Amino acid sequence: MSMEKVVFGFVVLLAATLNFGFVIGDISDPELHNMTELYLAVLVNIIAMVLKFGDRTQIGAIQLATSLVAVLQLLAATTVYVYASQVASEGLSRGLTSTMVSLAAGAVLANITSLTMLIAETVSYRRR
């Protein structure tokens, strides 16, 4: 068993689960979406993206692309939160919460795509 592959799989799965945990719940209720979980999702997704830089295969390129999408979506969601909490006069309204959670949900889709490709690559590796 390769420790590098274990760490890689762990980080990719942790990124997806943190992101999913943030998104779950009523899309417009700010009390159901923990900002610490959003920040952790951003951090772990960035770590997952950095880990994907070394792979020079076609699947590695697509994996990196999914990570870039997830990180950009999560950074956009974080930007909406910072705007709502620091700039907007109404604070974290239902509309801004919906925008923030929708952006994070896009990152969930990218994470699911990445996990699916990771599983497909693992299954095809076993058959060789």
Side-chain angles (χ1 to χ4, degrees):
M1 175 178 357
S2 168
M3 194 58 165
E4 178 183 322
K5 292 188 186 296
V6 171
V7 169
F8 177 73
F10 171 78
V11 171
V12 170
L13 186 58
L14 182 61
T17 56
L18 282 169
N19 194 5
F20 181 78
F22 173 75
V23 168
I24 207 75
D26 180 9
I27 193 168
S28 63
D29 187 351
E31 291 182 17
L32 298 179
H33 306 285
N34 187 312
M35 292 308 114
T36 303
E37 197 165 19
L38 176 61
Y39 293 140
L40 287 172
V42 171
L43 177 66
V44 175
N45 271 279
I46 289 172
I47 292 169
M49 181 182 68
V50 169
L51 290 175
K52 292 176 184 178
F53 272 114
D55 193 352
R56 301 279 185 227
T57 64
Q58 180 64 32
I59 286 184
I62 297 169
Q63 283 272 8
L64 180 59
T66 62
S67 281
L68 287 168
V69 168
V71 168
L72 288 175
Q73 293 280 100
L74 289 170
L75 287 174
T78 304
T79 301
V80 169
Y81 173 71
V82 169
Y83 169 78
S85 64
Q86 303 297 319
V87 178
S89 59
E90 72 272 6
L92 193 56
S93 66
R94 293 179 70 79
L96 288 173
T97 300
S98 293
T99 301
M100 177 181 61
V101 174
S102 293
L103 287 165
V108 168
L109 182 60
N111 288 145
I112 290 170
T113 302
S114 179
L115 281 171
T116 302
M117 290 186 335
L118 180 63
I119 291 167
E121 183 180 26
T122 302
V123 168
S124 70
Y125 181 73
R126 287 296 219 173
R127 291 183 181 172
R128 292 181 198 174

